[in-house]
Amino acid sequence: MFSLEGMNALVTGASGGIGSEIAMALAKQGARIALSGSNGEKLRVFREQLNRETGGDHVEITCNLGEKEQVEELIPATVHTLGGIDILVNNAGVTRDNLAMRMKDDEWDDVIRINLEASFRLMRAAARPMMKARFGRIISITSVVGATGNPGQMNYAASKAGVVGMSKSLGQELASRGITVNCVAPGFIRTAMTDQLPDAQKDALNAKIPLGRMGEGRDIGAAVAYLASREAGYVTGETLHVNGGMAMLG
């Protein structure tokens, strides 16, 4: 893997299944992590685990991404606590699934506010200290459905496709300052939620994947660790699809 020694990273949604694997992957490569999420107790427990397993001095910063004021304070709090920010990972996200004809305004608004608008605000805020440092890595976790669409997820697909568009635009704006902006788009990833599915449903999902299995959180963590590294300095405006071949997108 790639060394992230001396780098400071903020990971949102860090106590969840994928978020914790991303944080672990970055920490194992030497980065110091600010773990963010809305559940302070879960963050504390995971921070203690992360410190034990990596020997690091990681921190937690509670933030509700649905609250604009808290979002605006997150990057300054990270810079103050860690002494800087080299890596931003927009991982946190929500779903409010419904068919379009039945989708309520608040189901649309919640998903756009947290998945798209909060990501924009964090990107904008992180760009300032990164530009001063003339180095930075901004990585957003999107989804295969942002490229393919999915019935019942018009809001979610729109939010994830929007993050890809934002990343391409920002990548062009910041490239001259040594800052890259990329996305990682997971397919079906095994989580505590998918573990509860009936075997027949899991078999049906796996049948859609050429590799014949769901991905693991560590697969996403490895992709993020690469994009966060100095070695990925010539990659920007890209979406790395990690989906087992389920959707082979250019």
Side-chain angles (χ1 to χ4, degrees):
M1 298 286 280
F2 303 95
S3 174
L4 304 177
E5 290 289 341
M7 293 193 192
N8 297 312
L10 168 65
V11 179
T12 67
S15 61
I18 291 177
S20 61
E21 291 285 359
I22 291 170
M24 187 67 73
L26 297 180
K28 285 182 175 179
Q29 304 314 310
R32 188 180 182 206
I33 315 296
L35 307 165
S36 184
S38 59
N39 187 320
E41 178 61 20
K42 287 181 68 176
L43 285 177
R44 182 189 64 78
V45 171
F46 178 59
R47 175 182 58 78
E48 293 173 352
Q49 175 192 347
L50 192 64
N51 284 339
R52 285 195 307 270
E53 295 189 16
T54 66
D57 179 24
H58 308 293
V59 302
E60 74 216 44
I61 304 174
T62 305
C63 178
N64 179 354
L65 294 184
E67 298 293 334
K68 182 175 72 173
E69 292 76 13
Q70 292 188 37
V71 176
E72 296 287 7
E73 293 169 359
L74 184 53
I75 296 296
T78 300
V79 172
H80 175 75
T81 304
L82 297 183
I85 181 168
D86 304 290
I87 304 162
L88 165 64
V89 183
N90 286 315
N91 167 70
V94 298
T95 56
R96 300 284 187 269
D97 295 352
N98 213 339
L99 295 175
M101 294 294 289
R102 299 175 183 169
M103 187 171 290
K104 299 176 178 64
D105 285 355
D106 62 349
E107 292 172 335
W108 173 270
D109 292 343
D110 287 349
V111 170
I112 297 300
R113 182 183 306 111
I114 293 173
N115 296 4
L116 184 61
E117 182 181 325
S119 293
F120 157 70
R121 293 183 182 281
L122 294 176
M123 287 177 174
R124 180 176 63 181
R128 295 184 185 280
M130 289 179 179
M131 287 176 70
K132 289 180 181 178
R134 302 191 72 84
F135 178 87
R137 300 286 184 262
I138 297 174
I139 304 160
S140 296
I141 307 305
T142 59
S143 170
V144 64
V145 307
T148 65
N150 199 40
Q153 290 195 309
M154 190 177 179
N155 49 2
Y156 185 74
S159 71
K160 294 303 188 179
V163 170
V164 171
M166 285 198 308
S167 298
K168 289 177 181 291
S169 298
L170 187 61
Q172 294 180 48
E173 293 181 18
L174 300 182
S176 65
R177 298 298 184 97
I179 302 165
T180 64
V181 188
N182 293 291
C183 298
V184 174
F188 289 127
I189 302 299
R190 193 167 70 85
T191 63
M193 185 182 301
T194 59
D195 284 343
Q196 302 303 312
L197 295 174
D199 288 342
Q201 193 169 350
K202 284 189 277 192
D203 290 343
L205 290 173
N206 289 336
K208 299 177 181 179
I209 305 170
L211 283 178
R213 63 172 178 85
M214 294 186 195
E216 303 286 342
R218 63 177 176 268
D219 296 320
I220 309 305
V224 172
Y226 162 65
L227 290 174
S229 70
R230 293 177 177 86
E231 289 83 351
Y234 202 56
V235 180
T236 195
E238 293 296 329
T239 298
L240 179 52
H241 290 275
V242 184
N243 61 37
M246 178 186 128
M248 297 185 180
L249 302 161

PDB file of all heavy atoms in Angstrom, residues 188 199-215:
ATOM      1  N   PHE A 188     -22.362  -3.349  -4.683  1.00  0.00           N
ATOM      2  CA  PHE A 188     -22.929  -4.007  -3.505  1.00  0.00           C
ATOM      3  C   PHE A 188     -21.796  -4.342  -2.532  1.00  0.00           C
ATOM      4  O   PHE A 188     -20.884  -5.099  -2.862  1.00  0.00           O
ATOM      5  CB  PHE A 188     -23.670  -5.290  -3.887  1.00  0.00           C
ATOM      6  CG  PHE A 188     -24.957  -5.053  -4.618  1.00  0.00           C
ATOM      7  CD1 PHE A 188     -25.199  -5.671  -5.837  1.00  0.00           C
ATOM      8  CD2 PHE A 188     -25.937  -4.226  -4.082  1.00  0.00           C
ATOM      9  CE1 PHE A 188     -26.397  -5.467  -6.505  1.00  0.00           C
ATOM     10  CE2 PHE A 188     -27.131  -4.005  -4.753  1.00  0.00           C
ATOM     11  CZ  PHE A 188     -27.362  -4.625  -5.966  1.00  0.00           C
ATOM     12  N   ASP A 199     -30.949 -15.729   2.372  1.00  0.00           N
ATOM     13  CA  ASP A 199     -29.929 -16.300   1.487  1.00  0.00           C
ATOM     14  C   ASP A 199     -30.342 -16.212   0.026  1.00  0.00           C
ATOM     15  O   ASP A 199     -29.506 -15.956  -0.847  1.00  0.00           O
ATOM     16  CB  ASP A 199     -29.661 -17.757   1.863  1.00  0.00           C
ATOM     17  CG  ASP A 199     -28.888 -17.879   3.170  1.00  0.00           C
ATOM     18  OD1 ASP A 199     -28.272 -16.869   3.598  1.00  0.00           O
ATOM     19  OD2 ASP A 199     -28.898 -18.972   3.767  1.00  0.00           O
ATOM     20  N   ALA A 200     -31.638 -16.420  -0.254  1.00  0.00           N
ATOM     21  CA  ALA A 200     -32.107 -16.378  -1.643  1.00  0.00           C
ATOM     22  C   ALA A 200     -31.899 -14.993  -2.240  1.00  0.00           C
ATOM     23  O   ALA A 200     -31.519 -14.858  -3.413  1.00  0.00           O
ATOM     24  CB  ALA A 200     -33.579 -16.762  -1.712  1.00  0.00           C
ATOM     25  N   GLN A 201     -32.120 -13.952  -1.427  1.00  0.00           N
ATOM     26  CA  GLN A 201     -31.932 -12.586  -1.920  1.00  0.00           C
ATOM     27  C   GLN A 201     -30.451 -12.279  -2.125  1.00  0.00           C
ATOM     28  O   GLN A 201     -30.070 -11.639  -3.109  1.00  0.00           O
ATOM     29  CB  GLN A 201     -32.557 -11.585  -0.946  1.00  0.00           C
ATOM     30  CG  GLN A 201     -32.692 -10.179  -1.531  1.00  0.00           C
ATOM     31  CD  GLN A 201     -33.555  -9.279  -0.664  1.00  0.00           C
ATOM     32  OE1 GLN A 201     -34.207  -9.749   0.281  1.00  0.00           O
ATOM     33  NE2 GLN A 201     -33.562  -8.001  -0.955  1.00  0.00           N
ATOM     34  N   LYS A 202     -29.606 -12.764  -1.210  1.00  0.00           N
ATOM     35  CA  LYS A 202     -28.168 -12.561  -1.383  1.00  0.00           C
ATOM     36  C   LYS A 202     -27.658 -13.292  -2.620  1.00  0.00           C
ATOM     37  O   LYS A 202     -26.813 -12.770  -3.364  1.00  0.00           O
ATOM     38  CB  LYS A 202     -27.417 -13.030  -0.131  1.00  0.00           C
ATOM     39  CG  LYS A 202     -27.536 -12.060   1.039  1.00  0.00           C
ATOM     40  CD  LYS A 202     -26.617 -12.412   2.179  1.00  0.00           C
ATOM     41  CE  LYS A 202     -27.201 -13.474   3.067  1.00  0.00           C
ATOM     42  NZ  LYS A 202     -26.453 -13.644   4.340  1.00  0.00           N
ATOM     43  N   ASP A 203     -28.174 -14.492  -2.855  1.00  0.00           N
ATOM     44  CA  ASP A 203     -27.776 -15.246  -4.044  1.00  0.00           C
ATOM     45  C   ASP A 203     -28.179 -14.503  -5.316  1.00  0.00           C
ATOM     46  O   ASP A 203     -27.432 -14.479  -6.302  1.00  0.00           O
ATOM     47  CB  ASP A 203     -28.409 -16.632  -4.033  1.00  0.00           C
ATOM     48  CG  ASP A 203     -27.814 -17.540  -2.956  1.00  0.00           C
ATOM     49  OD1 ASP A 203     -26.719 -17.223  -2.454  1.00  0.00           O
ATOM     50  OD2 ASP A 203     -28.455 -18.564  -2.632  1.00  0.00           O
ATOM     51  N   ALA A 204     -29.355 -13.887  -5.287  1.00  0.00           N
ATOM     52  CA  ALA A 204     -29.820 -13.137  -6.457  1.00  0.00           C
ATOM     53  C   ALA A 204     -28.940 -11.927  -6.711  1.00  0.00           C
ATOM     54  O   ALA A 204     -28.631 -11.594  -7.870  1.00  0.00           O
ATOM     55  CB  ALA A 204     -31.270 -12.707  -6.256  1.00  0.00           C
ATOM     56  N   LEU A 205     -28.522 -11.249  -5.651  1.00  0.00           N
ATOM     57  CA  LEU A 205     -27.625 -10.104  -5.801  1.00  0.00           C
ATOM     58  C   LEU A 205     -26.268 -10.540  -6.340  1.00  0.00           C
ATOM     59  O   LEU A 205     -25.724  -9.932  -7.262  1.00  0.00           O
ATOM     60  CB  LEU A 205     -27.449  -9.397  -4.454  1.00  0.00           C
ATOM     61  CG  LEU A 205     -28.654  -8.629  -3.897  1.00  0.00           C
ATOM     62  CD1 LEU A 205     -28.359  -8.131  -2.489  1.00  0.00           C
ATOM     63  CD2 LEU A 205     -29.023  -7.473  -4.803  1.00  0.00           C
ATOM     64  N   ASN A 206     -25.736 -11.625  -5.774  1.00  0.00           N
ATOM     65  CA  ASN A 206     -24.422 -12.094  -6.198  1.00  0.00           C
ATOM     66  C   ASN A 206     -24.424 -12.561  -7.654  1.00  0.00           C
ATOM     67  O   ASN A 206     -23.398 -12.482  -8.342  1.00  0.00           O
ATOM     68  CB  ASN A 206     -23.945 -13.224  -5.291  1.00  0.00           C
ATOM     69  CG  ASN A 206     -23.579 -12.734  -3.898  1.00  0.00           C
ATOM     70  OD1 ASN A 206     -23.248 -11.568  -3.717  1.00  0.00           O
ATOM     71  ND2 ASN A 206     -23.647 -13.618  -2.919  1.00  0.00           N
ATOM     72  N   ALA A 207     -25.582 -13.026  -8.115  1.00  0.00           N
ATOM     73  CA  ALA A 207     -25.687 -13.500  -9.499  1.00  0.00           C
ATOM     74  C   ALA A 207     -25.504 -12.355 -10.497  1.00  0.00           C
ATOM     75  O   ALA A 207     -25.184 -12.599 -11.669  1.00  0.00           O
ATOM     76  CB  ALA A 207     -27.028 -14.185  -9.718  1.00  0.00           C
ATOM     77  N   LYS A 208     -25.713 -11.130 -10.058  1.00  0.00           N
ATOM     78  CA  LYS A 208     -25.550  -9.970 -10.934  1.00  0.00           C
ATOM     79  C   LYS A 208     -24.102  -9.494 -11.004  1.00  0.00           C
ATOM     80  O   LYS A 208     -23.774  -8.597 -11.780  1.00  0.00           O
ATOM     81  CB  LYS A 208     -26.420  -8.803 -10.437  1.00  0.00           C
ATOM     82  CG  LYS A 208     -27.909  -9.098 -10.406  1.00  0.00           C
ATOM     83  CD  LYS A 208     -28.671  -7.907  -9.838  1.00  0.00           C
ATOM     84  CE  LYS A 208     -30.171  -8.172  -9.767  1.00  0.00           C
ATOM     85  NZ  LYS A 208     -30.906  -7.009  -9.184  1.00  0.00           N
ATOM     86  N   ILE A 209     -23.233 -10.092 -10.187  1.00  0.00           N
ATOM     87  CA  ILE A 209     -21.852  -9.632 -10.063  1.00  0.00           C
ATOM     88  C   ILE A 209     -20.922 -10.671 -10.674  1.00  0.00           C
ATOM     89  O   ILE A 209     -20.868 -11.813 -10.206  1.00  0.00           O
ATOM     90  CB  ILE A 209     -21.500  -9.410  -8.574  1.00  0.00           C
ATOM     91  CG1 ILE A 209     -22.493  -8.441  -7.918  1.00  0.00           C
ATOM     92  CG2 ILE A 209     -20.071  -8.887  -8.436  1.00  0.00           C
ATOM     93  CD1 ILE A 209     -22.367  -8.361  -6.412  1.00  0.00           C
ATOM     94  N   PRO A 210     -20.185 -10.325 -11.713  1.00  0.00           N
ATOM     95  CA  PRO A 210     -19.283 -11.299 -12.334  1.00  0.00           C
ATOM     96  C   PRO A 210     -18.330 -11.980 -11.357  1.00  0.00           C
ATOM     97  O   PRO A 210     -18.023 -13.167 -11.523  1.00  0.00           O
ATOM     98  CB  PRO A 210     -18.527 -10.470 -13.376  1.00  0.00           C
ATOM     99  CG  PRO A 210     -19.521  -9.431 -13.785  1.00  0.00           C
ATOM    100  CD  PRO A 210     -20.241  -9.070 -12.517  1.00  0.00           C
ATOM    101  N   LEU A 211     -17.833 -11.264 -10.347  1.00  0.00           N
ATOM    102  CA  LEU A 211     -16.951 -11.890  -9.370  1.00  0.00           C
ATOM    103  C   LEU A 211     -17.701 -12.793  -8.399  1.00  0.00           C
ATOM    104  O   LEU A 211     -17.084 -13.494  -7.592  1.00  0.00           O
ATOM    105  CB  LEU A 211     -16.164 -10.829  -8.591  1.00  0.00           C
ATOM    106  CG  LEU A 211     -14.986 -10.206  -9.357  1.00  0.00           C
ATOM    107  CD1 LEU A 211     -14.300  -9.143  -8.519  1.00  0.00           C
ATOM    108  CD2 LEU A 211     -13.987 -11.272  -9.781  1.00  0.00           C
ATOM    109  N   GLY A 212     -19.037 -12.775  -8.459  1.00  0.00           N
ATOM    110  CA  GLY A 212     -19.842 -13.733  -7.716  1.00  0.00           C
ATOM    111  C   GLY A 212     -19.990 -13.481  -6.236  1.00  0.00           C
ATOM    112  O   GLY A 212     -20.438 -14.355  -5.482  1.00  0.00           O
ATOM    113  N   ARG A 213     -19.649 -12.290  -5.779  1.00  0.00           N
ATOM    114  CA  ARG A 213     -19.771 -11.982  -4.352  1.00  0.00           C
ATOM    115  C   ARG A 213     -19.897 -10.481  -4.176  1.00  0.00           C
ATOM    116  O   ARG A 213     -19.530  -9.703  -5.048  1.00  0.00           O
ATOM    117  CB  ARG A 213     -18.548 -12.467  -3.578  1.00  0.00           C
ATOM    118  CG  ARG A 213     -17.253 -11.774  -4.003  1.00  0.00           C
ATOM    119  CD  ARG A 213     -16.087 -12.119  -3.109  1.00  0.00           C
ATOM    120  NE  ARG A 213     -14.847 -11.483  -3.556  1.00  0.00           N
ATOM    121  CZ  ARG A 213     -14.481 -10.243  -3.228  1.00  0.00           C
ATOM    122  NH1 ARG A 213     -15.267  -9.498  -2.454  1.00  0.00           N
ATOM    123  NH2 ARG A 213     -13.333  -9.743  -3.663  1.00  0.00           N
ATOM    124  N   MET A 214     -20.420 -10.088  -3.006  1.00  0.00           N
ATOM    125  CA  MET A 214     -20.418  -8.677  -2.649  1.00  0.00           C
ATOM    126  C   MET A 214     -19.010  -8.246  -2.251  1.00  0.00           C
ATOM    127  O   MET A 214     -18.180  -9.068  -1.850  1.00  0.00           O
ATOM    128  CB  MET A 214     -21.364  -8.414  -1.479  1.00  0.00           C
ATOM    129  CG  MET A 214     -22.824  -8.642  -1.798  1.00  0.00           C
ATOM    130  SD  MET A 214     -23.872  -8.142  -0.403  1.00  0.00           S
ATOM    131  CE  MET A 214     -25.416  -8.926  -0.874  1.00  0.00           C
ATOM    132  N   GLY A 215     -18.765  -6.959  -2.377  1.00  0.00           N
ATOM    133  CA  GLY A 215     -17.494  -6.426  -1.931  1.00  0.00           C
ATOM    134  C   GLY A 215     -17.443  -6.301  -0.418  1.00  0.00           C
ATOM    135  O   GLY A 215     -18.447  -6.462   0.277  1.00  0.00           O
TER     136      GLY A 215
END
